[in-house]
Every structure is written in structure tokens, then in C-alpha cells.
Amino acid sequence: MFDFSQSDLAQSLEDAFKFTYINRSFSTPCLSHSSSVEDDSTANSRIKIIAGHASPRVHALVIEVAIAMASGVNLEPASSGLGGAYFLHARNGKTIAVAKPIDEEPMRSSIRIGETGFRESAAYLLDHDGFSGVPPTALVKFSHVEFDLNTSGLDETETPPYKIASLQRFVDHESDAGDLGPSSFSVTSVHRIGILDVRLMNLDRHAGNILVRRGTESCGGGKAELVPIDHGFCLPESLDDPYFEWLHWPQALIPFNQSEVDYILNLDPFKDAEMLRSELPLIRESSIRVLILCTIFLKRATAYGLCLADIGEMMTREFHGGEENWSLLEKLCINAKAMLNKNDDHDDKGISFGDMKDDEWRSFLEIFGKLLSKAFEQRKKMKFEECLGVQ
């Protein structure tokens, strides 16, 4: 299942974790280039980094987890959630991380089972400079760690000796967004989460995966800080119908401030794509192309002065008379593919770009950009006429 073709991914990790106060069999994170378990012959609990090794904050998190494991702390299954999630505590009882094994993931259209962990790590890698506040996240391999396995019909000797999982820093919080009204949230926090969700085409941004923290001055005006978690349903393999909890919040109607505009316009979708191919070679090219397309869409929409609510609505499918209609973004992509003399091969699961050759993909983006400009100009004209009261 895991075939890491890049020979240089393990470089720098061996030297990064030479701590004399930690036994290396417990704490040395490294990259495995195959699914072989030959290095897991001992019964000691171990953790290894598979993806996310470039971040010092990930290093610090894995060290804390390794120390907790060495002290004999066990994983605690979460009481809620669609998939398997486990809390890991320090010896003093403080929760330090959340682990989600990829073989205990829920099913979702456009997201294959076993691949949400890659996306959790990708969201953190793409959150440049912590702009949106995604907690440190990595893809790791746990060896000889007891999970709440469904091993019906298996004896103990058949229990898998290791598990691949996403590992995320636990964030202390007072509640989630569902417990409070949006009036408690700062405009900045809402905008920054929304920008991330649009770039990644997050299919599942509900109130429960927006954590609320109070008492921070960075949010402005005494408003609560929002922390986005659970990004396993982002970067689908095809365009789909995203769900944005913030879409109808009043903050989404407020124009981006200059720092947010600068951040968006400085995004480089092709540089981000290369970074993902290097750091997470398991991410499929079709998902990377969705990232490129959505980032281009976000940048062009921002340049035309659209607010977050406008952008989210253009990405979301509409329902009329009990029927679901394509979003404006999907319609533009359908038209662009048709202009490339492609068969109209989209279906109810979404529009995919994985079947395109590189030259076709480049031509598609060029056509898409032209159609996008026309759509924005038309929208601007309609808004202007509404302001004038033109019928």
C-alpha cells in the first residue's frame, strides 16, 4: 500500500532526534520506505514519522508522544466521531495528541478509505506560517501500540503489529463553534478558516470541527479564537459539494482586509503542488489538481473583490425544486472541459481532472481562467445594476 519512491525523505531525521534522555527504540522518528515490519521485531512501543518531518513543531509533538509511550501511557478511545480516534495523555494526565488510524476511517464520496490521514497532514503543510491555525499534524506509524481493534475472529498473534495514523496536537478549548453563536467569533478567525477551506475544498467544515478558545488577544475585540481541526475530507479527487459552516455567518460578508488579500494573492498553487508531491507522495494527482484549481479560483475571486460568502456560494451546489444543481465552479469546469473537446464524462460524484495529460491540464487551466474572468465580470455587472435598482 505504501511505496515511498523518494530516496531523500529520511535525510535529516536521524540527526534530529539524538536525545540522550530518551531510549531510541521508543522515540526515534524516521521514515519507512515500505510496509515492511522487519524493524518492528521488538515488542517496545514505537512511533515513526512518515510525513510531516520538515516541521519543528511536529518534531516536538512526536517527542512528547514518544516520552508518554515510554512511560507506559495507553491510548484512550474517543467517545464520539465517525471514525476511530484516540487521545494520548502525558503522565500528568494532560491530553497532548489525537491519533486517527487510517484503517478506522469513515467512508465519504470522493475520499477513499485509508486516505484521510494523508489529507490531515496535507492541511497542516498547506497552512503556511500557521495562517489559519491548523494544529501540528503528521502521518505516523505506531508499532506495538494497543488500539481498540475490532479483532473479532482473530487471535492475539494475528493482531497487526503496527498502524498508520494521523497524529495531531490536542488543542485546549472551551467548546466548539456549535455551542456558541457566530457573534462570539472574530472576523479574522472566520476569514482565515474560510480561506483554508476554499483552497482545500473542504467537504466537511461543520461546527464540531471548529474549536473555540477564549482569552487570546490576537483575535481582536475580545472575540473568541477559532481553531480548525479534522481535515480528512479535504482535497477530494474530484470537484464535489463542499460544506462550509461559516457560509452564512455575518463575518463571511465582510470584505477581506489587506493582510488577508496579500496572503491570498501571494499563494502559489503550483509551488504548493510540488511541495505536496515531495512531502506526501501518497496524495493522488487528481487531488493535487483540485488544490490548484481551487487556489486559482480563490485568488481570482479575491482580485475581483469578492467576499468569502460570495466565494463559498459559487463553490456550493444549489437545490431547486428538490433537485441538486451544479455549482458555478463546476459549471465553469464542465464548460472548460467541453471546449477542450472532451467527452462530458462527469457524474454525480463530481468532476475529475486525474485523467488529463499534463498538456491537456495546462490548456484546461488557461480556458478555465478566461471563463472565470467572464463570470466575475458578469457578476460585478449584476451587482452594480442591483445597486442602481435596474430591473
Side-chain angles (χ1 to χ4, degrees):
M1 178 176 179
F2 300 101
D3 183 15
F4 294 90
S5 58
Q6 308 213 355
S7 59
D8 60 342
L9 288 178
Q11 189 64 34
S12 80
L13 288 174
E14 294 181 359
D15 296 331
F17 287 85
K18 294 180 179 177
F19 296 89
T20 58
Y21 55 87
I22 306 176
N23 186 299
R24 290 180 60 87
S25 66
F26 286 93
S27 65
T28 307
C30 63
L31 290 171
S32 173
H33 289 261
S34 72
S35 59
S36 170
V37 295
E38 292 178 358
D39 57 344
D40 296 318
S41 57
T42 66
N44 291 332
S45 298
R46 299 169 63 185
I47 180 172
K48 299 181 181 181
I49 296 176
I50 294 177
H53 61 282
S55 169
R57 297 176 69 194
V58 165
H59 288 178
L61 172 62
V62 172
I63 288 174
E64 287 187 54
V65 170
I67 292 173
M69 290 166 53
S71 66
V73 174
N74 295 321
L75 293 167
E76 175 190 342
S79 58
S80 62
L82 296 177
Y86 302 83
F87 294 111
L88 197 140
H89 310 281
R91 290 197 65 181
N92 62 5
K94 180 180 179 181
T95 306
I96 57 177
V98 181
K100 298 178 182 178
I102 65 173
D103 62 345
E104 298 183 35
E105 296 173 354
M107 181 179 294
R108 170 75 193 229
S109 175
S110 301
I111 305 292
R112 306 188 193 208
I113 293 178
E115 296 188 0
T116 63
F118 312 154
R119 290 167 168 81
E120 293 270 14
S121 183
Y124 176 66
L125 293 173
L126 291 167
D127 185 21
H128 305 303
D129 300 321
F131 180 81
S132 301
V134 179
T137 311
L139 193 67
V140 300
K141 174 181 175 181
F142 286 102
S143 300
H144 304 291
V145 176
E146 292 187 9
F147 288 84
D148 187 23
L149 295 170
N150 180 10
T151 56
S152 177
L154 299 177
D155 58 38
E156 294 183 359
T157 61
E158 294 176 308
T159 301
Y162 72 92
K163 275 205 175 193
I164 306 298
S166 65
L167 183 73
Q168 185 170 86
R169 167 77 68 183
F170 179 80
V171 176
D172 290 324
H173 56 282
E174 286 72 35
S175 62
D176 61 47
D179 297 326
L180 299 173
S183 61
S184 304
F185 311 145
S186 73
V187 174
T188 299
S189 283
V190 174
H191 282 189
R192 294 193 172 200
I193 290 177
I195 289 168
L196 179 73
D197 289 342
V198 169
R199 288 173 61 204
L200 276 57
M201 186 165 243
N202 194 343
L203 305 182
D204 192 35
R205 175 61 74 206
H206 58 79
N209 57 35
I210 303 177
L211 304 182
V212 179
R213 297 197 302 182
R214 294 186 178 276
T216 58
E217 299 179 358
S218 60
C219 298
K223 297 288 186 177
E225 177 188 7
L226 303 180
V227 180
I229 60 170
D230 294 345
H231 296 98
F233 291 149
C234 69
L235 297 177
E237 291 187 49
S238 60
L239 294 187
D240 205 330
D241 187 30
Y243 179 76
F244 302 138
E245 180 73 26
W246 42 260
L247 185 57
H248 302 293
W249 291 355
Q251 294 91 335
L253 294 169
I254 299 175
F256 293 127
N257 62 36
Q258 190 57 51
S259 65
E260 293 161 353
V261 171
D262 291 342
Y263 177 86
I264 293 170
L265 297 183
N266 286 327
L267 291 170
D268 186 338
F270 301 100
K271 184 177 179 180
D272 286 342
E274 287 303 316
M275 182 270 292
L276 283 187
R277 293 185 186 108
S278 174
E279 297 291 333
L280 278 171
L282 300 172
I283 290 285
R284 299 178 188 273
E285 187 65 22
S286 53
S287 294
I288 292 177
R289 288 180 173 179
V290 168
L291 168 69
I292 293 173
L293 185 81
C294 290
T295 305
I296 291 174
F297 178 73
L298 171 64
K299 288 167 68 71
R300 296 288 290 274
T302 301
Y304 268 85
L306 273 63
C307 66
L308 183 59
D310 291 331
I311 298 169
E313 287 174 358
M314 295 172 74
M315 297 179 67
T316 305
R317 294 175 186 170
E318 300 178 349
F319 288 87
H320 294 295
E323 295 184 358
E324 183 180 64
N325 299 313
W326 297 110
S327 67
L328 177 60
L329 176 60
E330 289 172 309
K331 291 176 182 177
L332 291 173
C333 291
I334 291 171
N335 292 337
K337 291 190 78 172
M339 294 174 70
L340 271 178
N341 296 319
K342 286 287 186 181
N343 293 327
D344 192 17
D345 58 355
H346 59 273
D347 56 30
D348 292 339
K349 294 183 179 180
I351 303 160
S352 177
F353 312 101
D355 59 338
M356 290 184 180
K357 297 179 181 179
D358 289 343
D359 58 340
E360 293 174 330
W361 170 241
R362 288 190 293 268
S363 297
F364 168 83
L365 288 179
E366 183 178 351
I367 297 172
F368 172 75
K370 293 178 181 178
L371 294 178
L372 201 56
S373 296
K374 291 181 180 179
F376 289 153
E377 287 293 344
Q378 183 178 10
R379 186 181 182 90
K380 182 185 294 186
K381 181 181 178 180
M382 292 174 60
K383 291 286 186 182
F384 180 69
E385 290 177 347
E386 287 178 4
C387 292
L388 294 178
V390 176
Q391 299 297 323

